[in-house]
Amino acid sequence: MKWNGLIIGALICTNLCFAGEMKLKITKSYLNFPVSQMVERKTMSFYLHDKLERSFVIRLSAEPEYWVFADVSEFKNKEIRIVYDGDSAALAKIQLTDEPIGSETMYKESNRPQLHFTTKRGWTNDPNGLIYYDGEYHLFYQHNPYEKEWENMHWGHAVSEDLIHWTELPTALYPDEQGRAFSGTAVIDYGNTSGFGSKKNPPMVAIYTADGIDRQVQCIAFSMDKGRTWTKYPGNPVLDTKENWNSRDTRDPKVFWYEPSERWIMVLNEKDGHSIYSSENLKTWNFESHIVGFWECPELFELSVDGNDDDKLWVMYGASGTYMLGNFDGKEFRPVTGKLACSFGAIYAGQTYNNIPATDGRRIQIGWDRIEHQGMPFKGQMSIPMELTLRTTPSGVRLFCNPIKELDDLQNELVVAAKDLSAEEANRLLNEYKDFETLRIKTTIRFTHSTPIGLDLYGQHIIDYDLNFNRINGFFYSQTDFESKEISTDILIDKTSIQVFFDDGGMSFCLQREPNKNNHQGFLFWGHLEIGVKELEVYTMKSIW
Ligand code: FRU
């Protein structure tokens, strides 16, 4: 390696930077990296006493578009060696700081969502390990801390006391020699079946996929400090099924405790659908059954029908939001319906919370909203947490999803409350708020014909409904009360996204907020033929940050 004579003034003068390599005494908690999407990804590795501690790819650039950071507090007062096989001039620009660069404006950036969780820096996709424990809701998530595109999967981590206000914590799981840390679950092992803790002090156990070069395997890790620090099980992987399925796609374990058989149940995406495995200790898994027709991020949970605890059904759910209802006996899921769906649009990979107290009893889901935030150093967002319920409709029992009631706490006072308006009157009232960054609008539209009706915001259809084609925003939807000639909506407008819940959760749709710059109309209720607005309620909203 060639000495390039650089002295890293911004770090400490004694840290010498060779081409592609530098030694650095960690005196502060954060290491900041200048990055640019214009530059190729190269591998960076951290060594402590010649032991490889972290390795990832990054687009380091001496002319950064934005900065990302790594929490390096675990190496405080130690000297690490950083090896980078890319631009050494850019390596010379990395900075140690007490707070990540950009902290002064964190969460106040121009395109930072104010109702949805987003990570401080980098890319996010699936929610992982959703679990409630000891007063905290944990949100782990697929995270690339080093750029705003998918790579280097880590488990990011945030906690909340109310599912609305989140605090981002340091990375929970790092990639390792088994592979990148792909999606999975967290459970509390109350019986200490894994032996990682005790019954008095039960471990939180994460079950996740390690995405290696030629295979995906299932691994476990445990935490004794409420998810803050994790120890990977030395016996990993606990499940490797590549040979059984002749497929490397075997991933995203969702695990829960099934009381009747006193076993852990894992639903796992494999090849052409979801497999079910069982275990007594989270370490040894037995294959039980398989169901075809899904891809990625399986879910399996039981729900009462119409709130009646004597009438329950199981829901087998996939990343696309499609599901089947059926029965489950601890080994096999037997469907009683075909494939159904209630969430559409930008949402993907929804997961539901484990360990919600029985006194609460709700089934709460968070999904990944595939939403971009123009000009921001982060991408993707977590959906508004939603409560899932099963209700009887003329077409049979169906899944409904609605924003959790805690979202109401973000509402300021009601600024519009009106009934029985013409479309023109409703447009006039609503347009007072057309430039608000966040809003919640509840409305019921009345129509006279089975022809298209809707609501636009700056030329973009928020609602586009056609009772003749039975389509909302392009997707088939059959209303529960299709003779009502009314459609009710609960609309959440954030800086970069809009989510609409139709007919009290019978269908929901998430979309990128994309105003047409040439449109000056703002809000517009419209109909091919006569429409009216039966109800209109508008709330301005507080920020979750
Ligand atoms: C779904 C998914 C999962 C995988 C993860 C990787 O979005 O592809 O199947 O575990 O993302 O980030």
Side-chain angles (χ1 to χ4, degrees):
M1 231 160 262
K2 194 161 75 64
W3 160 245
N4 70 359
L6 279 173
I7 304 233
I8 314 304
L11 301 166
I12 359 175
C13 295
T14 52
N15 292 309
L16 302 181
C17 177
F18 296 84
E21 177 162 346
M22 91 194 315
K23 286 192 175 148
L24 184 63
K25 177 142 185 233
I26 302 299
T27 51
K28 297 179 176 177
S29 298
Y30 297 96
L31 196 48
N32 298 270
F33 305 99
V35 293
S36 166
Q37 298 303 126
M38 314 293 282
V39 168
E40 236 185 286
R41 287 178 177 142
K42 297 284 178 186
T43 303
M44 180 177 286
S45 307
F46 295 175
Y47 292 87
L48 186 64
H49 308 304
D50 284 332
K51 182 171 164 269
L52 179 64
E53 294 285 339
R54 294 187 197 171
S55 184
F56 49 90
V57 288
I58 187 164
R59 301 176 191 270
L60 223 51
S61 168
E63 285 161 25
E65 262 176 74
Y66 59 100
W67 288 75
V68 295
F69 67 89
D71 183 332
V72 287
S73 44
E74 67 168 301
F75 305 122
K76 266 244 173 102
N77 300 321
K78 295 180 182 144
E79 186 178 77
I80 62 168
R81 188 160 57 89
I82 303 176
V83 178
Y84 184 54
D85 67 6
D87 178 5
S88 64
L91 185 61
K93 294 216 166 218
I94 65 179
Q95 287 185 37
L96 267 177
T97 52
D98 290 322
E99 294 298 333
I101 289 180
S103 292
E104 329 75 63
T105 50
M106 195 71 78
Y107 303 127
K108 299 186 199 87
E109 303 98 328
S110 59
N111 268 337
R112 172 78 70 176
Q114 297 296 309
L115 305 180
H116 293 82
F117 173 81
T118 43
T119 191
K120 287 179 177 170
R121 292 287 180 266
W123 160 274
T124 45
N125 53 295
D126 317 352
N128 294 153
L130 300 185
I131 191 155
Y132 175 83
Y133 186 52
D134 206 10
E136 286 180 324
Y137 296 91
H138 293 265
L139 163 61
F140 300 94
Y141 52 91
Q142 289 288 282
H143 188 204
N144 181 3
Y146 302 114
E147 70 171 274
K148 57 182 181 178
E149 295 300 336
W150 186 93
E151 238 311 342
N152 294 315
M153 297 333 289
H154 292 56
W155 274 32
H157 188 196
V159 288
S160 170
E161 286 174 12
D162 58 5
L163 284 164
I164 298 291
H165 301 90
W166 297 96
T167 305
E168 184 170 329
L169 299 178
T171 294
L173 294 178
Y174 288 85
D176 60 23
E177 58 289 348
Q178 310 254 11
R180 300 175 285 197
F182 271 23
S183 290
T185 326
V187 297
I188 305 299
D189 183 9
Y190 287 107
N192 193 33
T193 61
S194 60
F196 293 143
S198 64
K199 283 192 182 165
K200 222 168 137 213
N201 198 8
M204 183 183 281
V205 182
I207 306 95
Y208 63 98
T209 300
D211 174 66
I213 289 164
D214 73 328
R215 62 183 63 222
Q216 294 179 336
V217 291
Q218 315 319 316
C219 294
I220 58 177
F222 65 95
S223 169
M224 300 306 296
D225 59 359
K226 300 206 233 168
R228 269 58 177 183
T229 58
W230 291 85
T231 307
K232 287 182 177 159
Y233 173 50
N236 279 338
V238 293
L239 187 61
D240 177 355
T241 64
K242 185 184 171 196
E243 305 334 324
N244 312 3
W245 294 95
N246 188 24
S247 165
R248 85 180 287 283
D249 293 299
T250 154
R251 61 174 179 267
D252 309 339
K254 169 74 196 220
V255 175
F256 60 92
W257 179 251
Y258 184 68
E259 193 57 43
S261 64
E262 299 191 336
R263 295 269 191 294
W264 296 103
I265 302 299
M266 178 195 290
V267 215
L268 187 69
N269 171 247
E270 295 188 311
K271 199 174 177 177
D272 55 10
H274 295 348
S275 294
I276 293 173
Y277 290 81
S278 70
S279 171
E280 288 177 8
N281 55 15
L282 295 166
K283 293 173 175 164
T284 309
W285 292 92
N286 301 311
F287 176 79
E288 300 289 0
S289 60
H290 183 79
I291 185 160
V292 171
F294 293 96
W295 174 250
E296 304 187 319
C297 304
E299 260 287 0
L300 179 61
F301 51 86
E302 194 181 29
L303 278 179
S304 313
V305 178
D306 302 319
N308 175 3
D309 285 345
D310 297 326
D311 182 10
K312 292 185 170 180
L313 279 170
W314 285 79
V315 183
M316 179 66 91
Y317 195 98
S320 62
T322 56
Y323 69 91
M324 287 182 202
L325 302 177
N327 299 304
F328 176 61
D329 59 4
K331 290 175 182 290
E332 201 179 334
F333 172 80
R334 290 206 180 79
V336 296
T337 68
K339 288 296 266 323
L340 302 163
C342 74
S343 302
F344 297 87
I347 193 162
Y348 194 72
Q351 186 179 107
T352 68
Y353 268 86
N354 277 342
N355 206 38
I356 294 284
T359 47
D360 177 326
R362 285 178 296 172
R363 180 58 56 177
I364 299 168
Q365 183 192 50
I366 295 181
W368 161 40
D369 290 346
R370 291 179 287 189
I371 296 293
E372 298 188 18
H373 320 287
Q374 226 192 2
M376 295 292 100
F378 54 91
K379 206 185 244 187
Q381 69 180 22
M382 292 299 140
S383 76
I384 297 289
M386 295 169 289
E387 180 178 0
L388 302 182
T389 49
L390 286 182
R391 298 190 208 164
T392 305
T393 76
S395 315
V397 178
R398 293 287 182 272
L399 198 59
F400 279 64
C401 67
N402 276 299
I404 51 165
K405 60 179 187 314
E406 288 86 339
L407 187 74
D408 297 358
D409 299 343
L410 286 182
Q411 291 168 190
N412 293 316
E413 79 282 16
L414 196 59
V415 288
V416 174
K419 285 190 191 311
D420 298 321
L421 306 165
S422 65
E424 293 70 31
E425 284 169 327
N427 289 335
R428 197 169 31 77
L429 285 175
L430 208 45
N431 274 317
E432 297 275 309
Y433 303 95
K434 65 182 178 189
D435 294 320
F436 275 54
E437 288 176 334
T438 58
L439 279 181
R440 185 171 195 179
I441 303 170
K442 294 185 180 180
T443 188
T444 302
I445 307 177
R446 252 189 199 144
F447 42 92
T448 52
H449 296 69
S450 300
T451 49
I453 60 144
L455 173 64
D456 289 3
L457 175 55
Y458 284 110
Q460 179 180 22
H461 288 331
I462 299 180
I463 304 170
D464 179 8
Y465 182 44
D466 184 324
L467 179 59
N468 176 33
F469 282 92
N470 281 100
R471 252 184 233 150
I472 286 188
N473 297 3
F475 290 89
F476 181 83
Y477 171 62
S478 171
Q479 281 192 277
T480 302
D481 184 357
F482 58 87
E483 290 193 4
S484 67
K485 290 193 278 171
E486 289 180 5
I487 187 148
S488 69
T489 65
D490 183 357
I491 305 167
L492 303 173
I493 298 183
D494 201 348
K495 280 202 173 177
T496 50
S497 69
I498 300 174
Q499 189 163 5
V500 191
F501 296 86
F502 296 94
D503 288 338
D504 199 26
M507 200 255 195
S508 90
F509 193 87
C510 175
L511 66 159
Q512 181 88 39
R513 187 172 173 180
E514 279 173 322
N516 177 344
K517 298 263 173 340
N518 300 319
N519 179 300
H520 303 291
Q521 173 71 39
F523 284 109
L524 177 71
F525 281 102
W526 55 268
H528 175 239
L529 293 163
E530 193 193 331
I531 65 157
V533 177
K534 184 183 172 191
E535 277 168 8
L536 181 63
E537 284 186 3
V538 181
Y539 298 88
T540 60
M541 302 294 279
K542 300 182 186 84
S543 166
I544 66 167
W545 304 116

